[in-house]
């Protein structure tokens, strides 16, 4: 396979990482400005939960992005049909499941509280969007992992046939 045939996918992964870094930076900025404007012992627990949830979701997110870059490197170096690729897909699947759980445990309740306070029950959908995306990625990675495992097994069987 031609070197660099996955350049668009690499750019998309890097862009996704930049977006998450920007989100984490905004959360840090909000924390800093809230601490500057807060009264003596005023703590906004909802904001703390949102910030901790964002940073907790960033860990598996960046792990999955790193594994995606490794998978693209395997594809570029003609090692796509190896156990390394299966391992990378498995890690991506587990990271997506972790992000789904974090989004369902923190994001959906946060937007439900926010929607209830603003009188807009449709805000829950905003919490469901990242959870749904993470679930779709987990299912897709699981299917690809299964297909790749079957292809590797078939290739191994074919190599043993004379």
């Amino acid at each position: 396979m031609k070197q660099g045939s996955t350049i668009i996918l690499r750019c998309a992964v890097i862009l996704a990482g930049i977006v998450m870094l920007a989100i984490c930076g905004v959360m840090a900025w909000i924390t800093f400005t809230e601490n500057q404007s807060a009264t003596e012992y005023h703590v906004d627990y909802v904001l703390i939960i949102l910030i901790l949830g964002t940073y907790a979701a960033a860990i598996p997110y960046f792990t999955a992005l790193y594994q995606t870059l490794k998978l693209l490197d395997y594809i570029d170096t003609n090692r796509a049909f190896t156990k390394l690729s299966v391992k990378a897909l498995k890690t991506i699947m587990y990271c997506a499941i972790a992000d789904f759980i974090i989004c369902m445990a923190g994001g959906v309740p946060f937007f439900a509280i926010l929607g209830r306070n603003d009188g807009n029950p449709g805000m829950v959908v905003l919490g469901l969007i990242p959870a749904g995306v993470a679930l779709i990625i987990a299912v897709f990675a699981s299917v690809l992992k299964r297909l790749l495992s079957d292809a590797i097994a078939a290739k191994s069987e074919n190599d043993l046939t004379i």
Side-chain angles (χ1 to χ4, degrees):
M1 193 173 283
K2 234 169 70 172
Q3 188 79 325
S5 62
T6 57
I7 194 80
I8 294 173
L9 293 174
R10 287 181 191 275
C11 290
V13 169
I14 291 170
L15 182 65
I18 290 170
V19 168
M20 188 61 169
L21 279 176
I23 290 170
C24 289
V26 167
M27 289 296 142
W29 180 74
I30 288 172
T31 304
F32 179 73
T33 57
E34 278 294 315
N35 285 340
Q36 297 294 326
S37 64
T39 56
E40 282 185 20
Y41 294 105
H42 172 72
V43 178
D44 192 3
Y45 294 107
V46 175
L47 183 64
I48 290 173
I49 291 170
L50 177 66
I51 292 166
L52 289 177
T54 302
Y55 287 129
I59 295 168
Y61 183 83
F62 284 117
T63 304
L65 289 182
Y66 174 71
Q67 292 297 320
T68 303
L69 288 174
K70 281 176 56 175
L71 185 61
L72 292 173
D73 184 51
Y74 297 150
I75 292 169
D76 280 343
T77 57
N78 291 327
R79 294 184 291 166
F81 293 101
T82 62
K83 298 234 186 244
L84 294 172
S85 296
V86 173
K87 184 179 176 188
L89 282 169
K90 190 176 186 181
T91 304
I92 292 168
M93 179 187 68
Y94 288 142
C95 288
I97 290 170
D99 269 342
F100 172 75
I101 291 170
I102 291 169
C103 288
M104 288 303 291
V108 173
F110 171 77
F111 283 106
I113 291 169
L114 190 65
R116 186 181 59 203
N117 290 343
D118 289 345
N120 186 2
M123 292 288 287
V124 175
V125 174
L126 288 177
L128 289 174
I129 290 172
V133 168
L135 183 63
I136 289 168
I137 291 171
V139 170
F140 191 68
S142 175
V143 169
L144 282 178
K145 181 182 76 73
R146 175 69 186 255
L147 287 172
L148 191 59
S149 296
D150 291 347
I152 291 171
K155 180 181 179 235
S156 173
E157 185 178 314
N158 193 22
D159 289 343
L160 294 175
T161 305
I162 296 177

